Amino acid sequence: MMFGTVSDTEKQIFREAYEFFERHCSPLANGEDGSLEFWESAADDVCTTYDKWLGHPLMSELLTAIYSYLDSKAKERTKELEDFQ
């Protein structure tokens, strides 16, 4: 069942969002050696990727969701969230 067609732009945005995630998929525990560098690199990459797409709303939403997910992974590793204790 088809509901619509994904544009080439949308395909490329999802591909690049995935590539961003792939580059930063393993955040270190907060406070661990190298964690600050990890987050600085991820933030720089978010800005570069976002700017490339001139703030396209789909890319904005995907990057926000991915960055939030990475934050959750880091908090899980440091046992910062009640759910992970």
Side-chain angles (χ1 to χ4, degrees), residues 28-30 69-81 83-85:
L28 301 170
N30 292 328
Y69 177 67
L70 294 175
D71 183 51
S72 294
K73 287 178 77 171
K75 288 177 178 176
E76 178 181 4
R77 291 181 179 196
T78 54
K79 307 294 184 215
E80 290 181 38
L81 299 177
D83 295 342
F84 303 121
Q85 294 180 355

Side-chain angles (χ1 to χ4, degrees), residues 14 29 32 45 67 74:
F14 272 99
E32 187 176 326
D45 199 8
Y67 203 84

Side-chain angles (χ1 to χ4, degrees), residues 8-10 17 19 21 28 31 34-35 43 51 53 71:
D8 289 339
T9 297
E10 292 164 332
E19 290 169 357
F21 174 69
L28 301 170
S35 64
D51 289 347
W53 289 96
D71 183 51

Side-chain angles (χ1 to χ4, degrees), residues 13 46 49-50 53 55-66:
I13 286 172
V46 161
T49 305
Y50 178 80
W53 289 96
H56 191 287
L58 178 59
M59 184 58 88
S60 177
E61 293 291 332
L62 291 172
L63 290 174
T64 298
I66 292 168

